[in-house]
């Protein structure tokens, strides 16, 4: 991929995407909420842009700063886990809103505008979802609001694929990955998860649009 935008690249999976894409010679635009993240991205050779996806003013400012840039791919990575609690304890609207705004509101706000910054026909939008979004694979309600938000994200991507037929939109699970969110108990390194995802993204074609895929390319059940 020649030119890529990564949304949410200050650390974890997003930062690893930036590292691998910069190393392979892609022109990388990548976002962070804070200066430390922006500095890490600049050190990799990426063009670093400030963005808090949960703040509409920040989104507005970010979109106008993009001017006429065109990308081959948008990697939407930013996400929060929120409370780990299950359906036996009530959540406040504030807790619900933070997770929903970050994990789904971001797409609802930005995809229509960013679609115009993607190369027609070959442009790809990849939202990092989670196997925890899968209704058919669900065993429990742990991290209840996170599950709800990622299932909503999957619907956002699947339904948007019906409108943006000129693009290729996919929701992708990275697996359980060693990051601040995934913890050191996770079996997959960020390096391996991201290299698998880049391989899968590279092999996508239009028959894949609207799908929910695992990092290794296997299709996941909704
Ligand atoms: N790790 C796993 O096992 C796993 C499994 C399934 C899915 N995922 C998904 O993979 C994605 C990346 O997760 P990760 O494991 O790399 O988690 P992480 O280490 O906690 O990193 C989360 C990233 O999202 C950014 N972010 C959070 N809220 C944001 C906001 N309001 N605006 C902009 N950026 C924001 C963070 O920025 P700050 O540094 O500013 O907080 C950080 O760059 C998430 O969508 C997550 O749900 C992860």
């Amino acid at each position: 991929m020649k030119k890529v935008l990564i949304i949410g690249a200050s650390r974890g999976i997003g930062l690893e995407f930036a590292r691998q894409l910069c190393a392979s010679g892609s022109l990388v635009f990548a976002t962070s909420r804070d200066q430390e993240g922006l500095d890490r991205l600049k050190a990799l050779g990426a063009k670093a842009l400030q963005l808090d996806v949960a703040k509409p003013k920040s989104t507005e400012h970010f979109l106008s700063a993009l001017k006429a840039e065109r990308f081959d791919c948008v990697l939407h990575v930013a996400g929060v886990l929120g409370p780990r609690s299950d359906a036996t304890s009530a959540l406040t609207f504030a807790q619900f809103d933070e997770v929903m705004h970050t994990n789904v509101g971001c797409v609802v706000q930005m995809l229509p505008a960013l679609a115009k910054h993607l190369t027609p026909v070959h442009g790809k939008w990849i939202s990092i979802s989670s196997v925890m979004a899968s209704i058919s694979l669900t065993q429990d309600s742990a991290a209840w609001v996170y599950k709800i938000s990622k299932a909503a994200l999957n619907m956002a991507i699947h339904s948007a694929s019906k409108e943006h037929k000129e693009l290729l939109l996919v929701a992708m699970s990275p697996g359980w990955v060693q990051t601040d969110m995934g913890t050191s108990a996770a079996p997959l390194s960020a390096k391996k998860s991201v290299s698998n995802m880049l391989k899968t993204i590279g092999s996508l074609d239009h028959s894949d649009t609207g799908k929910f895929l695992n990092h290794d390319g296997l299709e996941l059940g909704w």
Side-chain angles (χ1 to χ4, degrees):
M1 293 183 288
K2 285 195 206 125
K3 200 166 164 186
V4 182
L5 170 64
I6 311 169
I7 299 170
S10 60
R11 56 197 169 93
I13 291 169
L15 184 63
E16 184 59 28
F17 266 125
R19 189 174 288 122
Q20 292 192 24
L21 284 163
C22 285
S24 70
S26 297
L27 181 54
V28 176
F29 288 58
T31 79
S32 166
R33 288 195 275 197
D34 59 24
Q35 193 56 48
E36 289 81 2
L38 293 171
D39 291 343
R40 277 194 286 276
L41 291 166
K42 279 183 207 155
L44 292 175
K47 184 166 170 47
L49 302 162
Q50 195 150 30
L51 173 65
D52 185 330
V53 299
K55 295 204 172 119
K57 278 250 168 308
S58 174
T59 301
E60 228 174 85
H61 183 260
F62 166 76
L63 289 172
S64 65
L66 281 184
K67 299 198 174 102
E69 298 289 355
R70 282 260 184 192
F71 302 101
D72 302 306
C73 183
V74 172
L75 296 167
H76 158 229
V77 186
V80 286
L81 182 62
R84 291 176 185 268
S85 57
D86 65 16
T88 60
S89 40
L91 293 167
T92 64
F93 270 2
Q95 290 171 312
F96 181 80
D97 287 352
E98 193 211 338
V99 178
M100 291 300 280
H101 285 170
T102 308
N103 294 358
V104 200
C106 166
V107 167
V108 175
Q109 272 220 312
M110 295 176 77
L111 189 145
L114 283 176
K116 299 181 188 98
H117 289 270
L118 275 165
T119 322
V121 187
H122 300 296
K124 296 171 186 171
W125 174 291
I126 312 296
S127 272
I128 303 304
S129 181
S130 166
V131 80
M132 289 167 79
S134 172
I135 292 171
S136 56
L137 299 174
T138 298
Q139 302 291 330
D140 59 44
S141 65
W144 198 23
V145 69
Y146 180 77
K147 286 189 168 101
I148 295 166
S149 72
K150 292 292 189 178
L153 171 65
N154 281 2
M155 176 55 96
I157 297 306
H158 183 73
S159 54
S161 75
K162 307 288 178 194
E163 304 305 326
H164 293 281
K165 292 196 169 24
E166 77 287 10
L167 302 174
L168 210 160
L169 286 84
V170 163
M172 189 170 286
S173 164
W176 183 17
V177 187
Q178 293 151 13
T179 62
D180 293 338
M181 187 187 292
T183 78
S184 57
L188 263 182
S189 65
K191 190 175 173 186
K192 180 68 180 155
S193 167
V194 165
S195 69
N196 284 354
M197 288 194 280
L198 286 174
K199 201 168 156 205
T200 298
I201 293 164
S203 66
L204 295 175
D205 64 33
H206 269 275
S207 66
D208 295 311
T209 196
K211 286 186 179 170
F212 178 28
L213 299 177
N214 201 24
H215 56 92
D216 55 11
L218 285 178
E219 197 163 353
L220 290 166
W222 299 111

